[in-house]
Amino acid sequence: MTNMTKEEVSRRYLIPQEILKEYESWGGCGAVKKVIGDWQYDDTDLERLSLIMTLHDIGFGKEEIESYMTLLLQGSSVESARLQMLEQKRSSLLDEIHFREKKLEHLDYLRYEISRMGKDPVKKQKSRGEAR
């Protein structure tokens, strides 16, 4: 592949300009080259940008991504630190899922109660009497 400008990368791979600016502000993780005033992206950059997009998608913030990418460039000696970051994010996402499952349970219970009251005339009558 030939080198591409920021605009070409953004258009072709649907990478927001904001993420490309972040990448450039980090020095492109040491890989981006500036040619005639424009940043040039190669295959290695595109692989890293793909990873950055994935990290964004799973909920990593800007600082977390920068830390993760810095660790990535340090090589296999710090794989455990990257794995720990991923485990923490996974745990956080599982907590969020469980919290939302509880909300769904409460919502379903309320729906059930409404539908049950709609089918039981005695309950309907009691609830009308209590409302008065």
Side-chain angles (χ1 to χ4, degrees), residues 44-58:
T44 301
D45 297 314
L46 294 174
E47 288 174 22
R48 289 179 181 153
L49 285 163
S50 176
L51 175 58
I52 289 169
M53 294 294 292
T54 299
L55 294 172
H56 266 282
D57 289 346
I58 62 176

Side-chain angles (χ1 to χ4, degrees), residues 16-126:
Q17 291 280 335
E18 175 182 307
I19 291 175
L20 295 173
K21 286 178 186 174
E22 286 176 16
Y23 186 72
E24 289 175 5
S25 75
W26 304 331
C29 300
V32 175
K33 301 153 198 78
K34 208 170 187 177
V35 178
I36 312 172
D38 289 328
W39 292 95
Q40 297 292 308
Y41 294 83
D42 61 20
D43 289 336
T44 301
D45 297 314
L46 294 174
E47 288 174 22
R48 289 179 181 153
L49 285 163
S50 176
L51 175 58
I52 289 169
M53 294 294 292
T54 299
L55 294 172
H56 266 282
D57 289 346
I58 62 176
F60 273 60
K62 181 180 176 179
E63 293 79 21
E64 291 172 311
I65 292 172
E66 186 172 3
S67 295
Y68 188 93
M69 296 306 289
T70 298
L71 291 170
L72 177 68
L73 289 173
Q74 292 176 15
S76 60
S77 64
V78 292
E79 280 181 357
S80 62
R82 286 189 300 134
L83 187 57
Q84 183 178 10
M85 288 181 76
L86 294 172
E87 291 294 335
Q88 287 173 345
K89 186 57 68 177
R90 185 178 192 281
S91 178
S92 174
L93 287 171
L94 281 173
D95 288 345
E96 184 179 328
I97 287 168
H98 293 141
F99 177 73
R100 290 182 183 269
E101 284 176 338
K102 283 288 186 196
K103 283 184 169 185
L104 275 174
E105 287 174 17
H106 292 293
L107 184 125
D108 288 343
Y109 174 75
L110 292 173
R111 291 174 60 226
Y112 167 77
E113 284 295 310
I114 290 170
S115 67
R116 191 178 69 144
M117 288 182 71
K119 293 177 184 174
D120 185 5
V122 175
K123 293 255 185 202
K124 270 186 172 179
Q125 191 61 34
K126 280 185 178 178

